[in-house]
Structures are given as C-alpha cells and as structure tokens.
Amino acid sequence: MMLARDCFEAQRSASRRNAPSYRDRIAALRSLERVLLDHKDNIVSAISEDYSGRATEETLALELVPTLGEIRDACRHLKSWMEPRSVPVGWQFWPASARIEMQPKGVVGILGAWNYPLFLTIGPAIGAIAAGNHVIIKPSEVAPRTAALLAQIIEKTFPSDYVAVINGGTSVAEDFSSLPFDHLLYTGSARVGKLVMKAAAENLTPVTLELGGKSPALVHPDYPLRTAAERILTGKLYNAGQTCVAPDYLLIPRIRQEEFLRIAPQIVARMYPQLQENPDYTRIIDAAHYRTLAHLLNDARQKGAQAIQINPAKETCDENNRVFPPTLLLDVTDDMNVMRDEIFGPILPVVPYQTLNDAIDYINARPHPLALYYFDSNSSRVNNVLARTTAGGVTVNDCIFHVGQTRLPFGGIGPSGMGHYHGVHGFETFSKKKGVFLEGRWTPLSLLRPPYGGIARRILSFLVRG
Ligand code: NAD
C-alpha cells in the first residue's frame, strides 16, 4: 500500500518538474468524466452498500450529476479562467503594465467526509486539477467501500504522481494532514477541522475548511405553507438528513405551527409510505451515528420536548436496520443537545416565533450557519433577511439547491467553515494569484533615484498632496 508521505514526495517533485498545461488539464478532466460514467453503477452500489441502503436517485442527483456538472463547467471555461488578466498600473508608473497570472499551487490534499463520499472528494479535486495541481485524496474511512472504489478508479486513470487516493483510518488521516501540502481542503466536523488546521499551521499550509452547523429554515407567515413544508421536508430527508446543508431546524410563525403539524405527516407519508423496505429512504450510515441520533432524541424528551415520529406503516425502526423515522420535535429549549449540536439526521425541531424580527434575532444569537433557507415571496423582505443574517449560502423559497450552482461559491463562515470552492471559485482557491509588474523601457521611477535632489522632492510633494 502506498504511503501518504511517499506519494506526496513523488507528487511534489513531479509538480516542480512541470505544471500541467491547459491541454493536460482538459485531458485529465475528460478522463475523469469518462471513468465516472463507466463506473456509474459501481459508484451507486458502493455508496448504497456503505449506507446499507442509499436511494439510487439521491446518489445520481446529489453526487454524480453535480460532480459531472463541475467537470463540464471547468472544461467549458478553463481557457478563460487561465487567461492572465491585465490590470491598470498607477499613472505614476506609466508606461509600465501589470497582469495577474493564475499559477498552480503545487500539491493539493483533500480530506473528504463520508456523507457524500463522491461529491466531497472528487468535487474539490476537479477545481484542483483545473488549476493545474497534483492531487491526493483521503476519503473518509466511514464509507469504506466507496473509498476503495475511488482508489481503484483513480489508480487506473492517473499516474500516482499526478492524482492519487490514500485510504486508511484516523492515524492515516492525521499523518495526511501533517504533510506540507500547498493547499489542504477538509470537509467534515468542526472538531476535526480544528485538528486539521493545527496540523496545517505547522507547515503554513493554507486550508479550506468545509464544516457544518445548524442551518435554519425560516418561513414567513404569508408564504404558502404546504409548498414550504414540502420543500423543507424534502431537503431534510434527502440522505435521511445526513447532509451538511440540510435544514437543521424550522422557524415557523406561531400562528401557523398547528397547520404545519397537521400537514407535515401527510407530506412525509406521501414521499415515504413505508420506511423499512423503501429503497427511497436512506439509512443511517452506522450504528454509532444511529445511537447519537437516539441520544439527541432522548435527551430532548427528558428535558420536556414532544417528539412526533412519522412512521406511516408502523414498522420496526432500530439500530439493527438503521432506519431512523422522520421525527418532528416540539417545545425544544436551548439546554437540549438537539438545539446545540448539528443534528445530521431526520429529526426536525420546530421552533415557533412571534415576529420576523424575533426569528432573525434567534438566528443571529447563534453561530453563523452553513446555509439559511428563507421562504417569502416579498423581495424587499427577502433582501432585508439577507442583509441582516450571515450564512455560508442561501436558497430562497427552497432548500439545498444553491449548492448545485457551479457559478456560486460554496463554503461556510466562521464555525461553518472558511474558504470556497465550486466552479471558478474552486479554480481560484487552488491557484496562486501571482501579481506581475512589467517595467517599461523608460520609467519615471528613475527620477526618484539617489542622490535625491529638487526634482525628486517636487515629485514626492506632488504625490503626497494627491
Ligand atoms: P468524517 O468522519 O467523514 O471525517 C472527515 C475526514 O476527516 C475523513 O477523511 C477522516 O479520515 C478525517 N479525519 C478524522 N480524524 C482526523 C484527524 N484526527 N486528523 C485529520 N483528519 C481526520 O466526517 P464527519 O466529521 O463525521 O462529517 C460530518 C460533519 O461534516 C458534519 O458536521 C457535516 O455538516 C460536515 N460536512 C460538511 C460539508 C461541507 O461541504 N461543508 C459536507 C459534508 C459534511
């Protein structure tokens, strides 16, 4: 098995020998597209095996399609992204000129999370390859079949000194994050994100941290409640809530809470008439994560919350089959763990609010979320909510779909992450913007050479006056 350090050394010397040209990068991206298409079915089954049941359509819609979209977008625009950009110089420097060149950083490390094990590993690699880097990916050990398949796919597509996958558990991940990469992108929890950032600091390696948090969905009283409820519950129940940008909790006008509680079970029952034998309803990744969700629920119940489990066919759902029923939680309070930790499962706390200002204050009293969902048809109110809240990204009148836009930067803020990728934003993250100043044959700066005399003093007093 290849060691991360050996692979890194090989990639570093390869990257110093010559940076991949435009043609090399397009060829690499097209090979990646081809191999993903050739292995589409294997990818779907590996991910499903890791989950012991993940909806095929969710793997296609939320992993493969956006990954292919990123490749195709990069191929379409790479030429213009790579183009050096001329910028004006200050008039004092005329006739010199200046430009910005986008240079590959070198070797990029990617530490991926398990919940979307294709999109969160290959996705960032696309930006890194487009930017002309060499790339090593360390998938999450929590999705081992997908991790093994990724290693196999990448190995047969790229030489290991260009793009490689390293697999292993926490100790491999720790070693990996201590390598002197030219850029490191980590996706996962804030707890591990801090460890990764600490390890990277030793090498002054720049990091992009894609973390999580509690993303609110806020519904205005005037917005059609059924439409909002359908979209929020769909976003919450994709991948059984194991989505970093899933709506974590719902802020609903107090006067509409009853109506929501009446229609939400109907909506869920229509989407998932059964849970256990239903291939559309994804399972919880492992028993440990199942127990975490069960503890969150018990803790909330013990502290006075009321849980409404939606299990239309009254099936057995437990740690053994890892089917966790969609659950609404009422009467939640700040001392409950479910209102402190990111839920990352199909539990939706319903928090009633009196006025829109109260709801905004509630959001602003908490750490900046990765995503915010606001449901309202009034554009000035939408703009007001956008201006008064801070979040990694926003979808208005739906959930999740800002993530699928290759033109939008994706990334959190503060505790939900730092830095961006997707489309040109990934290309820029993995590029060094090199400023180049080209001096003219004649330069006015020669008038400022010592010995300083009257001309230099006159020029300087003119420049200081402005
Ligand atoms: P995980 O367990 O899949 O771990 C992510 C990566 O960190 C893995 O590659 C793992 O090997 C590595 N790792 C583990 N311990 C390490 C250590 N000590 N040093 C270095 N690396 C280490 O991820 P997770 O934490 O279970 O993922 C869930 C979290 O990820 C949630 O908070 C979720 O919101 C967040 N997330 C964020 C995004 C995003 O794009 N912002 C996407 C998915 C998940």
Side-chain angles (χ1 to χ4, degrees):
M1 203 174 64
M2 194 170 30
L3 289 177
R5 189 162 291 273
D6 295 344
C7 181
F8 173 78
E9 296 295 346
Q11 289 214 358
R12 186 156 62 177
S13 38
S15 79
R16 300 236 163 123
R17 273 197 304 278
N18 62 335
S21 65
Y22 168 74
R23 276 166 177 272
D24 297 335
R25 302 181 201 185
I26 292 288
L29 292 169
R30 288 292 179 210
S31 311
L32 191 55
E33 179 183 26
R34 212 167 315 115
V35 75
L36 292 177
L37 289 172
D38 289 349
H39 288 79
K40 173 172 82 61
D41 296 340
N42 306 354
I43 292 168
V44 166
S45 22
I47 298 179
S48 190
E49 278 174 39
D50 280 330
Y51 275 88
S52 300
R54 144 83 91 86
T56 300
E57 290 75 7
E58 288 176 7
T59 298
L60 295 177
L62 304 174
E63 301 230 48
L64 197 65
V65 169
T67 305
L68 294 169
E70 283 283 321
I71 295 178
R72 291 165 187 158
D73 182 68
C75 289
R76 204 169 305 130
H77 300 291
L78 187 57
K79 192 152 232 150
S80 70
W81 295 350
M82 286 175 69
E83 207 102 300
R85 271 164 256 170
S86 292
V87 292
V89 296
W91 60 265
Q92 307 90 326
F93 300 92
W94 289 346
S97 61
R99 63 170 183 255
I100 301 168
E101 291 186 358
M102 303 303 275
Q103 195 165 46
K105 284 190 171 173
V107 184
V108 170
I110 293 168
L111 278 155
W114 53 264
N115 60 329
Y116 288 92
L118 176 79
F119 187 47
L120 300 177
T121 50
I122 301 295
I126 294 162
I129 292 170
N133 298 285
H134 293 234
V135 186
I136 314 182
I137 300 168
K138 156 71 183 74
S140 171
E141 62 280 10
V142 178
R145 290 172 193 83
T146 313
L149 179 65
L150 285 175
Q152 206 186 312
I153 285 177
I154 294 297
E155 195 183 346
K156 72 179 202 193
T157 313
F158 299 104
S160 62
D161 64 358
Y162 182 23
V163 184
V165 170
I166 296 286
N167 276 321
T170 310
S171 65
V172 171
E174 274 173 37
D175 281 352
F176 189 89
S177 58
S178 71
L179 293 171
F181 284 108
D182 298 296
H183 195 103
L184 193 53
L185 182 142
Y186 165 81
T187 304
S189 65
R191 183 188 69 79
V192 176
K194 287 180 193 170
L195 299 175
V196 169
M197 198 167 169
K198 249 184 221 160
E202 283 302 312
N203 303 309
L204 293 178
T205 291
V207 289
T208 301
L209 299 181
E210 298 290 343
L211 312 176
K214 295 185 78 62
S215 301
L218 168 59
V219 181
H220 188 272
D222 293 349
Y223 193 81
L225 187 60
R226 181 171 283 277
T227 307
E230 281 170 353
R231 295 177 184 179
I232 291 165
L233 290 163
T234 305
K236 181 73 177 182
L237 298 175
Y238 279 146
N239 211 30
Q242 301 159 102
T243 303
C244 58
V245 286
D248 186 274
Y249 63 94
L250 169 63
L251 280 163
I252 186 130
R254 193 176 288 283
I255 46 164
R256 309 208 64 186
Q257 176 169 295
E258 288 257 311
E259 190 186 348
F260 176 79
L261 296 178
R262 188 171 48 76
I263 61 177
Q266 300 164 3
I267 293 168
V268 173
R270 198 164 327 116
M271 288 195 287
Y272 306 105
Q274 304 105 38
L275 301 176
Q276 211 197 95
E277 295 305 321
N278 188 341
D280 293 347
Y281 193 61
T282 297
R283 290 169 193 236
I284 302 305
I285 189 81
D286 57 23
H289 192 53
Y290 198 97
R291 279 196 288 272
T292 305
L293 292 172
H295 286 150
L296 283 180
L297 200 53
N298 287 341
D299 172 77
R301 275 180 168 142
Q302 275 165 16
K303 291 173 181 161
Q306 189 198 334
I308 303 173
Q309 293 216 316
I310 310 172
N311 182 353
K314 309 259 175 299
E315 292 153 297
T316 307
C317 297
D318 59 23
E319 196 182 306
N320 297 320
N321 60 26
R322 304 213 308 275
V323 178
F324 201 99
T327 304
L328 306 176
L329 260 189
L330 308 179
D331 306 322
V332 291
T333 50
D334 284 351
D335 62 330
M336 298 173 183
N337 294 335
V338 80
M339 294 316 289
R340 290 183 180 163
D341 304 340
E342 178 182 353
I343 297 171
F344 223 51
I347 302 172
L348 183 69
V350 179
V351 181
Y353 69 83
Q354 205 64 37
T355 67
L356 190 59
N357 276 340
D358 294 343
I360 292 172
D361 289 346
Y362 187 94
I363 293 168
N364 287 339
R366 287 157 177 77
H368 294 324
L370 181 59
L372 175 83
Y373 303 115
Y374 181 50
F375 291 79
D376 192 349
S377 308
N378 177 305
S379 55
S380 67
R381 273 195 312 251
V382 168
N383 290 338
N384 183 39
V385 169
L386 289 175
R388 291 181 57 198
T389 54
T390 303
V394 177
T395 291
V396 176
N397 296 334
D398 211 331
C399 290
I400 311 247
F401 296 123
H402 62 283
V403 182
Q405 311 309 313
T406 48
R407 298 297 178 97
L408 290 181
F410 177 67
I413 171 155
S416 56
M418 62 181 72
H420 302 101
Y421 72 117
H422 287 191
V424 71
H425 311 286
F427 174 84
E428 288 182 352
T429 287
F430 299 118
S431 297
K432 160 67 190 153
K433 271 188 187 170
K434 189 160 76 176
V436 179
F437 178 75
L438 297 120
E439 186 60 281
R441 183 185 282 262
W442 177 84
T443 167
L445 301 177
S446 58
L447 301 174
L448 286 177
R449 253 180 232 142
Y452 302 118
I455 293 187
R457 277 194 288 277
R458 273 201 296 285
I459 291 174
L460 286 171
S461 83
F462 176 73
L463 290 177
V464 170
R465 269 204 317 276

